[in-house]
Amino acid sequence: MVETKEKKKTGGLAGIVAGDSSICLCGVEEQSLRYRGYSIENLAEHATFEEVAWLLLRGKLPTKQQLRDYQSHLMKQRDLPKPLKAILEQIPADANMMDVLRTGCSALGTLEPEIAGSDPFKVADRLIACLSSILFYWYLFHTTGKRVDLNTDEMTVAGHILKLLLNKTPIEMHRRCLDVSLILYAEHEFNASTFAVRTIASTLSDFYSAIAGGIGALRGPLHGGANEAAMELIESFSTPDQAEQGVMEMLAKKQLIMGFGHRVYTTSDPRSVIIKELARLLSVQAKDQRLFPVAERIDQVMWREKKLFTNLDFYSALAYHFSGIPTKMFTPLFVFARIAGWSAHLLEQRSNNKLIRPISNYIGPVAQTWLPIEVRE
Amino acid sequence: MVETKEKKKTGGLAGIVAGDSSICLCGVEEQSLRYRGYSIENLAEHATFEEVAWLLLRGKLPTKQQLRDYQSHLMKQRDLPKPLKAILEQIPADANMMDVLRTGCSALGTLEPEIAGSDPFKVADRLIACLSSILFYWYLFHTTGKRVDLNTDEMTVAGHILKLLLNKTPIEMHRRCLDVSLILYAEHEFNASTFAVRTIASTLSDFYSAIAGGIGALRGPLHGGANEAAMELIESFSTPDQAEQGVMEMLAKKQLIMGFGHRVYTTSDPRSVIIKELARLLSVQAKDQRLFPVAERIDQVMWREKKLFTNLDFYSALAYHFSGIPTKMFTPLFVFARIAGWSAHLLEQRSNNKLIRPISNYIGPVAQTWLPIEVRE
């Protein structure tokens, strides 16, 4: 992200250690990213999203039997309680999709509240299984008028999402691409939404409160909205030359160009390399001759002009687009992935909890003398 | 709060400056508390909650005309849109009240979304006016079966709350006591819920997302639940001697006793002095000869044994109780007050925003070699 430097910015806690964690290591050793010690390259190549979710939550890779059981456990938890469906039907058709997810998650917390002392993974697994159902129940109710059956026969979260969205069995390439993307988006240390989750969890509040806070934080354009903005930028150009000219003009006007740079990486984002290759393959499959070349040119210009590299969001946008996913669903997809990381952090926070309560640097007025209302101006 | 020392606690950001703020100064100069420079003693004695909300949000005290206009503006915004009422009716009668508020706030965000570039105070004022309506619409629907009229003739938020709850015009003493309590609870610097609000706002997310996160954080027993726990403790004893014995036993067992101590105050909480006197007056009015003496004895024992002082939550519990408010509504009342402070911080965060994104101290496994699923144990 390119930040304007006009006014001194404070309050970002940049570089401040806010606690111990054993979940994710990023931005050290040649721009690497590891979940529980496993490199993102290995996970993206060999694992499924369910395997990664298990790893993040339980701290180790599942056995074959554990993974099989976990997948069928998740499959059984895709449907939603009737009152939640009734609530989703009351949410307007033109609502922001992140608002729908935040409200659906919050409402589920009133219907299936977390019971103190119950299985700590219970709500995590429920939300991993059903957050996409919340969005698509609402979406399909308003776009097709139908109350869709949320029990698809797809084995994976990625398949479930595509089956609901496209109303047909997805091709394997799209399923796998979305699966890898969910892995890449699943976790990223103390980012703003995860830190919001931990802050809420630190008061010993319930699971749904913390996750609703995470969804709310991810909704902001400085965090989750970047892939949607990247898609809009890429789509706005017809040719690479036009893109180069357009980006140069934006840079001259000091406009923010989304999908570039990252606070914890300095020279490259290891996730971008992986998703770029997938986006390229999908562009070939889609016989695209415009969007991928446009994206690559923007990428080159940004590096040449600003030494800014593409982050995960930039080529993810293209990969989603070629899989038939509407742009306004990109940030919700981020939620369906990051719920794994949020949940792992929430449980870690609880395991060694201390209330997160910093202090502020007071820059306001000194002691003011009380003025009766009659004499105020 | 008394913390167990068994395991090293990390991650609380205690004493860490997380940003500049000109809203609240607390814990310095002989345990004082000031909102925008005005002492809490002056505000509690002379102001109304609406006046304090205006001060927190707009940075200065309102004139007589401004306050009059503000009150009628808030009065007009107490009713809820029909779909929100339908949503509240779907939430179970036995739901946690904070879950109801969090869900109602989130759902309102889908019905009346914040429009970029609109009046920055619009959503703040709407929520100050209608959060209590959300709770009481749901509560009265389930307890009386009625769809209550949310347009009361009470001029103040405090009056509105009591009128809806008690279904009669409240006596002035209860109205004023609740008004003062709302002032005392309105703001407290970078506490956990306010910091959650600022973290969510720092991604440039919308107003409702940030406030829903604040409600979620306040729900936790280490933050908002303390006055409810204090009431349960006080009510569990019949006499001061019994209370002394009970508390001594709890201390011997190292049990947590809620309503005492505070991370930013060391010898006393200036708000406790104010609410204690109100609780005493209400206890006289209620001809109570048990609860106030019991509370005072607990207070004395905690100081004698642990040098821990009562914080705002302890005597607030009694003051609410004597005003006829059920214990499970104490934390929601905190929300109706703190919405003012949260909103002020949210707008301040936006005015000089930087993404809140700390880092973690990694204590997890070093690089792990990938293991194919067939060979895992």
Side-chain angles (χ1 to χ4, degrees), chain A residues 104-118:
Chain A
C105 171
S106 182
L108 189 62
T110 70
L111 296 162
E112 300 176 2
E114 194 183 14
I115 311 293
S118 64

Side-chain angles (χ1 to χ4, degrees), chain B residues 291-323:
Chain B
L291 296 172
F292 194 81
V294 161
E296 271 204 306
R297 183 68 70 87
I298 297 172
D299 177 356
Q300 288 157 8
V301 172
M302 287 296 284
W303 182 254
R304 184 187 73 207
E305 299 294 323
K306 308 293 288 184
K307 286 286 170 289
L308 280 171
F309 52 89
T310 53
N311 60 35
L312 172 58
D313 293 319
F314 190 73
Y315 285 106
S316 293
L318 271 193
Y320 289 158
H321 179 82
F322 290 130
S323 302

Side-chain angles (χ1 to χ4, degrees), chain A residues 191-260:
Chain A
N191 58 85
S193 59
T194 300
F195 190 59
V197 168
R198 291 189 75 123
T199 301
I200 295 169
S202 83
T203 72
L204 299 183
S205 190
D206 74 310
F207 217 106
Y208 300 93
S209 288
I211 301 301
I215 295 170
L218 194 55
R219 183 191 191 283
L222 293 189
H223 190 2
N227 48 17
E228 298 183 15
M231 191 67 227
E232 283 157 19
L233 179 74
I234 296 166
E235 277 192 308
S236 73
F237 303 117
S238 301
T239 66
D241 285 349
Q242 208 188 75
E244 173 152 359
Q245 195 189 333
V247 169
M248 291 299 286
E249 285 167 14
M250 288 177 75
L251 290 175
K253 288 187 226 157
K254 296 192 193 303
Q255 286 177 327
L256 198 65
I257 297 178
M258 303 303 277
F260 288 87

Side-chain angles (χ1 to χ4, degrees), chain B residues 183-199:
Chain B
I183 293 170
L184 300 179
Y185 271 113
E187 162 56 16
H188 212 244
E189 204 227 10
F190 279 15
N191 57 85
S193 59
T194 300
F195 190 59
V197 167
R198 291 188 76 125
T199 301

Side-chain angles (χ1 to χ4, degrees), chain A residues 311-342:
Chain A
N311 59 35
L312 173 58
D313 294 319
F314 191 72
Y315 286 106
S316 293
L318 270 194
Y320 290 158
H321 179 81
F322 291 130
S323 303
I325 298 166
T327 303
K328 61 190 171 179
M329 271 179 201
F330 291 2
T331 313
L333 284 179
F334 197 156
V335 173
F336 307 152
R338 189 57 58 87
I339 179 64
W342 288 336

Side-chain angles (χ1 to χ4, degrees), chain B residues 18 30 183 187 203-204 287 306:
Chain B
E30 310 281 324
I183 293 170
E187 162 56 16
T203 71
L204 299 183
K287 300 192 171 48
K306 308 293 288 184

